[in-house]
Amino acid sequence: PYGRLSGFARVNRAITDGLTRRGWTVRVFATDEPTTRVPREPLPDVYLFHGHPYDLTNAPGRVNVFYLSYDYARFVAADRWLSSRLNAHFDLLMVPSTFSRSAARRSGVRIPIVVCPYGADAQEFHLPDTARASGQPFTFLALGGATERKGTDVAVRAFAREFRGDPRVRLHIKAFSYDHLL
């Protein structure tokens, strides 16, 4: 995904911009365009796929990398085919956490896996310059999609268990999702 407004598209544009600034030649094959087939061009040195696993296109590069930005405890039933697809078509799996790496291994991924943690863009998200006023509550901020695999339910349960009734601490969830999950 590259053109439409989504978290995947924002990340993919940031990856593209960052690689371009570092001198790499980057060609984008957007899966959110009307034609999702990879154009007939010379094989790229590196093919990096980052998107919804169900949009996965064949890996056409000399080195094929899949960036799995989902955090699973184990691949969910709808994605069970993912490990066999990764093993058959990709040389490397990038994941955002050691938790995701363990989950991929438990789910049958045999290719090498590296952790590529998310970072915060200081241009978009920054802490205030002033210290928090005394007496103000400490706020945990959870961002992202409220879907079954995102762990929002886990975060709420853990927060409630740890900080139940403590007025000095609060949890703020900024999420988007389907109505039944919200």
Side-chain angles (χ1 to χ4, degrees):
Y2 195 81
R4 295 187 183 145
L5 180 61
S6 74
F8 279 121
R10 289 185 71 182
V11 169
N12 290 336
R13 288 191 297 266
I15 289 171
T16 300
D17 293 345
L19 290 171
T20 302
R21 277 195 309 274
R22 286 167 180 78
W24 290 87
T25 301
V26 179
R27 291 189 312 254
V28 174
F29 308 111
T31 59
D32 56 359
E33 298 299 323
T35 56
T36 59
R37 293 189 180 270
V38 175
R40 293 180 189 250
E41 294 188 23
L43 285 179
D45 293 323
V46 177
Y47 172 73
L48 171 62
F49 183 90
H50 173 243
H52 301 283
Y54 48 80
D55 288 337
L56 177 63
T57 56
N58 284 333
R62 292 184 181 92
V63 175
N64 298 292
V65 180
F66 188 95
Y67 186 16
L68 181 68
S69 58
Y70 289 7
D71 266 324
Y72 291 101
R74 182 180 295 272
F75 292 169
V76 296
D79 294 334
R80 288 219 175 100
W81 55 270
L82 184 56
S83 59
S84 60
R85 181 77 183 234
L86 290 169
N87 291 329
H89 294 282
F90 288 86
D91 303 303
L92 179 68
L93 176 63
M94 292 182 357
V95 295
S97 65
T98 55
F99 177 82
S100 295
R101 181 176 55 202
S102 297
R105 285 283 179 240
R106 279 193 302 276
S107 299
V109 175
R110 295 184 314 275
I111 60 174
I113 303 172
V114 296
V115 176
C116 182
Y118 294 139
D121 185 343
Q123 299 295 326
E124 293 191 38
F125 179 80
H126 54 278
L127 296 173
D129 292 334
T130 59
R132 192 169 43 91
S134 66
Q136 291 292 322
F138 183 87
T139 301
F140 288 95
L141 177 62
L143 302 172
T147 63
E148 291 92 339
R149 70 178 180 280
K150 295 288 186 172
T152 304
D153 55 340
V154 175
V156 169
R157 279 196 308 272
F159 182 84
R161 188 172 46 245
E162 188 69 25
F163 299 108
R164 183 178 305 275
D166 188 339
R168 297 170 300 159
V169 183
R170 63 184 172 195
L171 173 64
H172 180 90
I173 299 174
K174 184 268 175 208
F176 55 91
S177 188
Y178 302 105
D179 287 337
H180 75 281
L181 292 169
L182 290 175

